[in-house]
Amino acid sequence: MSEEIKKNNYSADSIQALEGMEHVRMRPSMYIGDVGVRGLHHLVYEVVDNSIDEAMGGHCDTISVAINEDGSVTVEDNGRGIPVDLHKKEGVSALEVVMTKIGAGGKFDKDSYKVSGGLHGVGVSVVNALSVHMKSTVFREGKIYEQEYERGKSLYPVKQIGETEKRGTRQTFYPDNTIFTQTTEFSYDTLSARMRELSFLNKGITITFTDKREVDDKGEFRSEVFHSDEGLKEYIRYLDGNREPIVSHVISMDNDKGEIPVEVALIYNTSYTENIFSYVNNINTHEGGTHLQGFRSGLTRTLKKYADASGMLDKLKFEISGDDFREGLTAIISVKVSEPQFEGQTKTKLGNREVVSPVSQAVGEMLENYLEENPNDAKVIIQKVILAAQARHAAKKAREMVQRKTVMGGGGLPGKLSDCSEQDPARCEVYLVEGDSAGGTAKQGRDRNFQAILPLRGKILNVEKAMHHKVFENEEIRNIFTALGVTVGTAEDSKALNLEKLRYHKVIIMCDADVDGSHISTLILTFFFRFMKELIEEGHVYIAAPPLYLVKKGNKKEYAWNDVQRDQANERMGGSANIQRYKGLGEMNAEQLWETTMDPNFRTLRQVNIDSLAEADQVFSMLMGDEVPPRREFIEKNAVYANIDA
Ligand code: 0RA
């Protein structure tokens, strides 16, 4: 090839590459889902995924992730290092291709075991395109190489900057604040939860996570090391740490050599909730899919067969349904699929039919062996299933009562509800308010056109510790169901939630800004999490933020939501202002409550979202369960950071 043609080729290709990168910047949501908080954190996951792939191929065992002092993020692994030799087709270094060409990630290495899919796996070049600055450092074959980029464009060809004994890849990036306009600030908790999850899903890897933005009293960074030798088995112990098991071991299997690698772990506990988390290529499949289907069928078939053979079902007057086998079950299913098809509203439902049978078979075999070897546990499980069937019949009756009330329409609305006049649910909001007195103030303060008020009596039922039929019999909870227009349960699927008749698209929890208030918020959230998860997932649940202080001097007044704002307001008024601390909503009058907490133009609402279902489950089971010490520890540990957040 003549020099000239080569040049032309190079520039033609580089124009194409540029267009690809421009496209990412023009339509970032197509690549990373959204440009909010979620999309921002997605950048980190994308970079970490590449290192995880390197580890899964057996080429590295340690990954370190750091939020740097300046808010950028660095991910480093001790793998083979991204190749830096000339990429013949592109005429530039392979590293540059990976970093600046859309869809180039890893593809030139046929040996690498890469199964990323879904939202992840779009390639590190996407992260580069969405970063104001990025730097790649490669430690490979005794040398250190480096290249930097601005908004996805390389600033200079890959250069050697030194020698080293090390191997690996280091990536540092600064998210572009013209793309992530909402925020470019990474959340410790969000990243830490994901790193923990990844370490359970990929046993043997060590992931260290450090936040260098602040130091503690001892002058040290906040940091955690995640490492799991037993993988999902350990994950189950972590999730169920605050629940009481009814069997002696975590039941697990790992078939990573199969055509479709399947890993499963499960345990039964004394609770009444079903907790199944499923993953495809390390991505949490919230909406389930074929792997979950395979799991359920394997579980039901095997337990049913065992129960039938044992004769324990002989005297039973009820039909046993699939649900009954999953009460008090905590399970994790993780599969690797080379060409995953993701379906569903949030593209987190696995569609590949070929996955059903291998998972079902693997689960069946695992359980059969366990029941065989642990007859006492087997008996305990079957007894639990029978109890669940009995309770389901009781719950069905209670639920039907709720339903009858709901379908009666306007007349069936709870007496305590002060409804709004607007009819379009998309424009309606309902405030769930702690106590009748605050409820009264809210009722006076609201805009009755579109704001409804539902006062709740003191502490609502802790659903974490109650049997299902108790939950549906509880008056406050029935009021919530009827007020919202939400129903549950059909003949086939007793847990199906029907949001079609949802009467308010914003459901706002408004509690005092103190310990009791936050306890009540947590109780209400626990209820939503366990019984109306879709309401949270679809973004309908919010928490109102009443101010903590009123700062007044002469005819000037300002509200403050934290100590810093309070002091600033005081300073603006020239100091020595009168400071009132609100101990509860009850101390505000209707006008104040409207101004600060209910007026859409001034209030701050925090939308509740679930980053990680598994993490949320663990936190709720701990906060609301029986064990006191872990709860105290959690509150003490988080108290410090809660102040920082405020
Ligand atoms: C393809 C080939 C080789 C390494 C990698 C990909 C690689 C990519 C990433 C991304 C993050 N860390 C990484 N580490 C390695 C090298 C193949 C060889 O050396 O033979």
Side-chain angles (χ1 to χ4, degrees):
M1 205 187 279
S2 81
E3 203 49 44
E4 204 189 326
I5 295 173
K6 212 159 128 197
K7 237 196 228 151
N8 283 342
N9 266 356
Y10 171 56
S11 51
D13 279 357
S14 66
I15 287 168
Q16 230 177 14
L18 189 79
E19 281 175 349
M21 298 295 265
E22 283 303 313
H23 192 254
V24 176
R25 293 183 55 81
M26 274 160 54
R27 298 260 183 287
S29 306
M30 275 181 62
Y31 297 85
I32 55 163
D34 65 73
V35 287
V37 176
R38 231 176 256 231
L40 177 75
H41 289 80
H42 199 95
L43 301 180
V44 182
Y45 307 157
E46 189 57 48
V47 179
V48 173
D49 267 6
N50 290 301
S51 296
I52 296 269
D53 281 338
E54 184 70 356
M56 289 293 90
H59 306 294
C60 84
D61 60 12
T62 306
I63 301 171
S64 70
V65 178
I67 309 174
N68 300 310
E69 276 159 294
D70 59 9
S72 63
V73 162
T74 297
V75 177
E76 179 165 347
D77 65 51
N78 62 348
R80 295 165 300 172
I82 300 180
V84 289
D85 49 335
L86 188 77
H87 191 279
K88 293 210 182 65
K89 190 169 153 268
E90 303 292 339
V92 294
S93 144
L95 173 63
E96 179 158 349
V97 176
V98 170
M99 296 305 294
T100 62
K101 224 176 128 62
I102 296 304
K107 274 202 187 122
F108 50 89
D109 180 25
K110 290 190 194 67
D111 299 333
S112 87
Y113 176 59
K114 191 167 170 63
V115 288
S116 300
L119 278 176
H120 305 265
V122 289
V124 69
S125 56
V126 167
V127 178
N128 195 11
L130 302 178
S131 298
V132 274
H133 187 263
M134 185 152 186
K135 177 153 101 183
S136 303
T137 313
V138 170
F139 306 87
R140 193 174 155 86
E141 289 159 3
K143 304 195 172 75
I144 309 174
Y145 303 91
E146 197 170 271
Q147 186 169 42
E148 288 171 83
Y149 321 84
E150 250 173 46
R151 300 192 158 95
K153 291 180 198 159
S154 67
L155 295 178
Y156 51 82
V158 173
K159 66 181 177 195
Q160 190 195 320
I161 59 161
E163 303 198 339
T164 180
E165 311 261 277
K166 257 169 63 158
R167 279 175 352 128
T169 305
R170 179 193 296 153
Q171 302 277 24
T172 299
F173 65 95
Y174 301 67
D176 189 338
N177 61 0
T178 64
I179 304 269
F180 301 95
T181 49
Q182 194 183 330
T183 180
T184 53
E185 198 175 315
F186 290 103
S187 144
Y188 183 94
D189 291 336
T190 302
L191 292 180
S192 142
R194 176 62 180 159
M195 297 312 130
R196 174 182 295 110
E197 186 179 42
L198 281 172
S199 76
F200 285 131
L201 292 168
N202 303 280
K203 57 185 165 203
I205 307 179
T206 300
I207 305 179
T208 67
F209 176 51
T210 310
D211 187 347
K212 300 185 177 169
R213 291 172 299 187
E214 304 191 29
V215 289
D216 64 16
D217 306 343
K218 296 191 204 103
E220 279 165 24
F221 296 132
R222 195 173 178 198
S223 180
E224 283 171 285
V225 180
F226 301 111
H227 176 97
S228 171
D229 277 323
E230 293 184 294
L232 298 193
K233 220 180 197 177
E234 254 174 281
Y235 198 0
I236 290 279
R237 279 189 220 117
Y238 170 75
L239 286 175
D240 259 24
N242 303 299
R243 297 195 180 99
E244 204 183 317
I246 61 167
V247 294
S248 45
H249 310 96
V250 177
I251 309 171
S252 70
M253 59 87 43
D254 175 3
N255 154 35
D256 58 2
K257 282 165 279 296
E259 176 89 11
I260 296 171
V262 182
E263 271 185 84
V264 177
L266 62 86
I267 199 162
Y268 280 92
N269 58 56
T270 56
S271 85
Y272 309 103
T273 38
E274 166 187 337
N275 262 312
I276 309 181
F277 303 105
S278 64
Y279 295 86
V280 175
N281 305 343
N282 293 332
I283 297 164
N284 189 185
T285 34
H286 291 229
E287 297 173 279
T290 49
H291 52 331
L292 185 61
Q293 201 184 323
F295 172 83
R296 286 182 173 168
S297 87
L299 182 91
T300 308
R301 172 172 41 83
T302 314
L303 287 181
K304 185 116 196 342
K305 189 171 143 205
Y306 187 93
D308 280 335
S310 74
M312 287 173 72
L313 303 184
D314 290 354
K315 282 190 287 251
L316 202 69
K317 293 188 201 70
F318 305 114
E319 269 295 298
I320 296 205
S321 90
D323 285 355
D324 302 331
F325 291 95
R326 300 192 297 271
E327 241 188 59
L329 171 70
T330 298
I332 304 160
I333 309 140
S334 169
V335 297
K336 301 272 158 63
V337 180
S338 53
E339 282 179 46
Q341 267 121 45
F342 289 105
E343 307 170 346
Q345 272 198 329
T346 55
K347 291 272 171 281
T348 56
K349 182 176 184 184
L350 185 66
N352 305 53
R353 303 300 317 166
E354 74 275 15
V355 173
V356 180
S357 144
V359 177
S360 172
Q361 237 162 36
V363 171
E365 259 170 51
M366 166 188 83
L367 272 172
E368 222 167 85
N369 291 338
Y370 188 87
L371 299 173
E372 194 84 16
E373 285 163 25
N374 301 274
N376 287 334
D377 284 357
K379 203 165 148 194
V380 171
I381 293 173
I382 304 302
Q383 273 162 351
K384 169 118 185 150
V385 172
I386 294 171
L387 273 178
Q390 284 164 344
R392 181 167 50 84
H393 283 266
K396 190 158 172 267
K397 289 211 182 87
R399 246 196 342 265
E400 280 163 1
M401 277 169 60
V402 178
Q403 227 115 332
R404 261 202 298 283
K405 277 199 167 177
T406 315
V407 291
M408 279 177 0
L413 289 173
K416 290 205 285 179
L417 175 74
S418 304
D419 209 1
C420 53
S421 46
E422 171 66 50
Q423 295 289 317
D424 176 9
R427 292 161 51 169
C428 292
E429 356 183 291
V430 62
Y431 279 81
L432 308 185
V433 189
E434 156 195 2
D436 287 330
S437 93
T441 316
K443 196 178 154 185
Q444 285 170 11
R446 68 174 172 154
D447 180 335
R448 61 184 310 137
N449 282 316
F450 67 99
Q451 294 180 318
I453 309 293
L454 180 66
L456 298 173
R457 192 194 328 123
K459 309 236 152 163
I460 80 160
L461 181 71
N462 179 357
V463 301
E464 199 67 29
K465 289 202 272 186
M467 285 184 80
H468 279 192
H469 66 96
K470 290 277 179 220
V471 174
F472 289 105
E473 279 162 15
N474 181 274
E475 194 188 328
E476 302 299 313
I477 284 177
R478 290 209 328 222
N479 282 345
I480 296 179
F481 269 108
T482 18
L484 299 192
V486 172
T487 53
V488 267
T490 56
E492 312 89 68
D493 187 352
S494 67
K495 298 220 173 72
L497 193 71
N498 186 352
L499 290 185
E500 265 164 45
K501 298 216 175 73
L502 181 65
R503 302 179 63 250
Y504 314 92
H505 282 198
K506 283 202 175 78
V507 177
I508 303 165
I509 302 170
M510 184 159 71
C511 293
D512 289 343
D514 63 1
V515 180
D516 268 351
S518 82
H519 186 219
I520 292 163
S521 304
T522 313
L523 285 167
I524 301 174
L525 277 175
T526 309
F527 162 69
F528 282 135
F529 182 69
R530 294 291 179 212
F531 289 85
M532 292 193 191
K533 198 173 275 160
E534 291 90 335
L535 198 69
I536 302 182
E537 286 179 329
E538 291 180 16
H540 294 302
V541 181
Y542 297 82
I543 297 176
L548 278 180
Y549 301 102
L550 172 62
V551 185
K552 241 162 70 174
K553 193 170 172 184
N555 53 4
K556 286 191 216 135
K557 72 169 184 191
E558 277 188 57
Y559 298 100
W561 275 259
N562 56 48
D563 295 2
V564 176
Q565 287 180 355
R566 175 199 62 195
D567 297 343
Q568 284 170 346
N570 186 23
E571 244 169 71
R572 270 193 292 276
M573 294 176 194
S576 70
N578 181 332
I579 293 168
Q580 182 190 350
R581 191 190 154 100
Y582 289 123
K583 282 185 215 77
L585 297 169
E587 290 181 18
M588 269 185 264
N589 63 35
E591 189 195 345
Q592 288 172 328
L593 191 60
W594 164 256
E595 278 182 349
T596 59
T597 317
M598 298 180 76
D599 179 353
N601 294 316
F602 289 103
R603 71 185 178 193
T604 25
L605 292 184
R606 287 185 295 150
Q607 190 174 35
V608 179
N609 65 37
I610 312 177
D611 273 326
S612 157
L613 288 178
E615 195 70 18
D617 168 68
Q618 202 270 343
V619 171
F620 280 126
S621 73
M622 173 201 26
L623 288 177
M624 298 285 110
D626 288 320
E627 309 263 346
V628 176
R631 175 162 56 235
R632 180 177 312 137
E633 198 185 304
F634 177 86
I635 291 168
E636 279 168 8
K637 206 173 86 190
N638 283 273
V640 186
Y641 300 103
N643 285 339
I644 293 168
D645 281 345

